[in-house]
Amino acid sequence: MGSASEQIIVPLDVPGEGEAIALLDALPQVTFWKVGLELFVSSGPTLLKELKSRNKRIFLDLKFHDIPNTMAGACRAAGRYGVDLLTVHAASGKAALMAAQTAAAEGAQASGCEPPRVIAVTLLTSIDERSLSTDLKIPVALTDYIQQMALLAQESGLRGAVCSPQEASLLRRTCGDDFWLVCPGVRPTWAQKGDQQRAMTPAEAVQAGAHYLVIGRPITQAADPAAAFAQICEEMGG
């Protein structure tokens, strides 16, 4: 997977292009950036082009969840941007997941880009076992549900999943080493958990089997973002 710095994906969780550019300038050592819903809705592909011009890797985290035809159209369009990772919800079902995978590759091919690795969101890390049972009325253990969503994604042709680091070791055993695990909910010991209910330290998450770690506020909201990023890399061992 490369060095510790290459395993960290930093979210551009800011409202607009100006704030995003400021973060890119403040953290030139970051190689992998996440663009989520807020920034993509406000800035669209403009920011993606800026990232590509800086030779950065892109995690387009839009978490598509719709009927197969709509999923295919959205993923085909996303594939044209040359992004590296693209998220869809596993709960959208096998037909939609298969359509998403095929369409993303088609979009990339049409633009002469490498196809993105489409990965499935198993369960949002803000949802704990009580919320799964009480709010969503899903009467299975949280780990069983996450395992089933990952297996569904793999059976549908997807090549990875988003999961809490607490489920990484289970999914690594279940899905194998070639199935990438991207883990939000990662917080160094000196940072607050925020709204992540199933958090783990960066070193613990990698040891559990995570390929990539999504680490946002401990870096982007630090008094010195570059120093915070360097400290996390050091704690991970490189």
Side-chain angles (χ1 to χ4, degrees), residues 83-228:
V83 301
D84 299 277
L85 290 177
L86 176 66
T87 48
V88 297
H89 272 284
S92 57
K94 192 169 188 176
L97 295 177
M98 293 175 69
Q101 173 72 26
T102 300
E106 291 172 351
Q109 184 178 20
S111 294
C113 304
E114 287 292 319
R117 184 178 288 243
V118 182
I119 61 175
V121 176
T122 54
L123 186 68
L124 298 173
T125 54
S126 58
I127 298 175
D128 58 16
E129 189 139 18
R130 184 178 182 279
S131 298
L132 184 70
S133 172
T134 304
D135 299 338
L136 301 184
K137 304 301 181 186
I138 298 176
V140 297
L142 182 142
T143 52
D144 290 344
Y145 180 82
I146 289 169
Q147 185 178 38
Q148 175 55 34
M149 292 297 100
L151 284 170
L152 175 63
Q154 190 173 49
E155 291 166 3
S156 303
L158 272 62
R159 301 167 61 202
V162 179
C163 68
S164 159
Q166 293 187 356
E167 288 85 48
S169 60
L170 171 65
L171 298 190
R172 174 64 54 243
R173 294 192 303 271
T174 301
C175 299
D177 291 337
D178 292 335
F179 191 77
W180 282 9
L181 299 178
V182 178
C183 294
V186 177
R187 294 287 183 268
T189 54
W190 41 267
Q192 296 182 344
K193 287 199 307 181
D195 56 4
Q196 303 287 0
Q197 297 300 316
R198 307 195 309 280
M200 194 177 280
T201 69
E204 289 170 340
V206 170
Q207 187 174 11
H211 286 100
Y212 289 98
L213 313 178
V214 180
I215 307 176
R217 282 167 284 189
I219 297 171
T220 59
Q221 294 185 10
D224 186 340

Side-chain angles (χ1 to χ4, degrees), residues 3 76 81 90 114 131:
S3 66
R76 187 175 293 109
Y81 295 133
E114 287 292 319
S131 298

